[in-house]
Amino acid sequence: MRGDAQTPPLSPATFDVVVSSFGVMFFEDPDAAFAHLGSVLRPGGRLAFLCWQDERHNEVLGLAPRAVAAHAAVVGGDDLDLFADPWRIGDLLVRAGFGNVRVRGRREPARLGSDVADVLGYLRETSRFRDLLQRLDDQRTVDRAIATLARELAARQRADGVWVEAAVWLVTATVSGRPV
């Protein structure tokens, strides 16, 4: 079923488990979405999701901003990203009615693409990277930032692709006041 997690047409207490792999970060209203997801879980129902750790600890999200920052002071980053901070995740879930909240860090290698050109081509199409580059003063700085990123990716090139260190939070919880 597809729908907005804040208001999908789901009956209360009808599901045992809610699972998300990198989707919860896109909720427009996380408080409303998690409160609704909690309401559709049966007694003992569980929530589990993966979300990215912040870009300082996560090469998947951090290589491009670091390459840009090597050439210019850029305002931004993910300081305000709710899901980058395990304490904020826990607080959000408790406010939404969940208990037994656990936020565990995991680090794993992640394949970004077949080679440097493949990864750069993908990144150039992402709004996050385009936004970073648009904050730069001139084309020369843009070119230097891209060259720095290409060197960083080349350093991670293996025979089977470009690999980086991914850092995620594995979050689990149950509906508060209900048995596990």
Side-chain angles (χ1 to χ4, degrees):
M1 169 178 257
R2 289 184 184 192
D4 183 345
Q6 298 165 126
T7 58
L10 302 173
S11 299
T14 55
F15 293 93
D16 295 317
V17 178
V18 171
V19 178
S20 172
S21 182
F22 304 104
V24 299
M25 302 171 299
F26 300 101
F27 290 155
E28 186 175 317
D29 182 347
D31 286 294
F34 281 108
H36 186 267
L37 292 175
S39 76
V40 302
L41 288 170
R42 290 185 180 121
R46 295 179 290 169
L47 168 72
F49 66 86
L50 288 173
C51 60
W52 295 114
Q53 288 187 27
D54 68 67
E55 63 189 36
R56 292 178 303 262
H57 301 100
N58 185 2
E59 290 185 331
V60 171
L61 301 177
L63 282 178
R66 286 195 292 267
V68 170
H71 300 283
V74 178
V75 177
D78 59 7
D79 295 343
L80 300 177
D81 180 3
L82 167 65
F83 294 100
D85 182 339
W87 297 107
R88 291 180 68 199
I89 296 168
D91 183 57
L92 167 67
L93 294 177
V94 168
R95 283 193 321 265
F98 288 91
N100 303 316
V101 177
R102 293 187 67 191
V103 182
R104 294 173 295 228
R106 297 285 189 257
R107 299 181 72 77
E108 294 290 332
R111 184 178 183 271
L112 289 183
S114 59
D115 57 29
V116 172
D118 180 36
V119 176
L120 282 176
Y122 165 74
L123 287 173
R124 286 176 186 259
E125 296 300 317
T126 65
S127 60
R128 186 175 187 158
F129 190 55
R130 282 194 317 264
D131 290 347
L132 276 172
L133 294 180
Q134 287 176 354
R135 296 179 195 168
L136 300 179
D137 293 334
D138 57 56
Q139 188 59 44
R140 184 170 180 232
T141 305
V142 168
D143 293 342
R144 290 190 337 228
I146 291 172
T148 297
L149 179 56
R151 283 191 300 277
E152 289 295 324
L153 295 170
R156 291 158 175 81
Q157 176 77 53
R158 300 189 324 204
D160 60 344
V162 176
W163 288 81
V164 297
E165 186 78 10
V168 301
W169 298 119
L170 170 59
V171 181
T172 58
T174 57
V175 178
S176 289
R178 296 184 184 173
V180 178

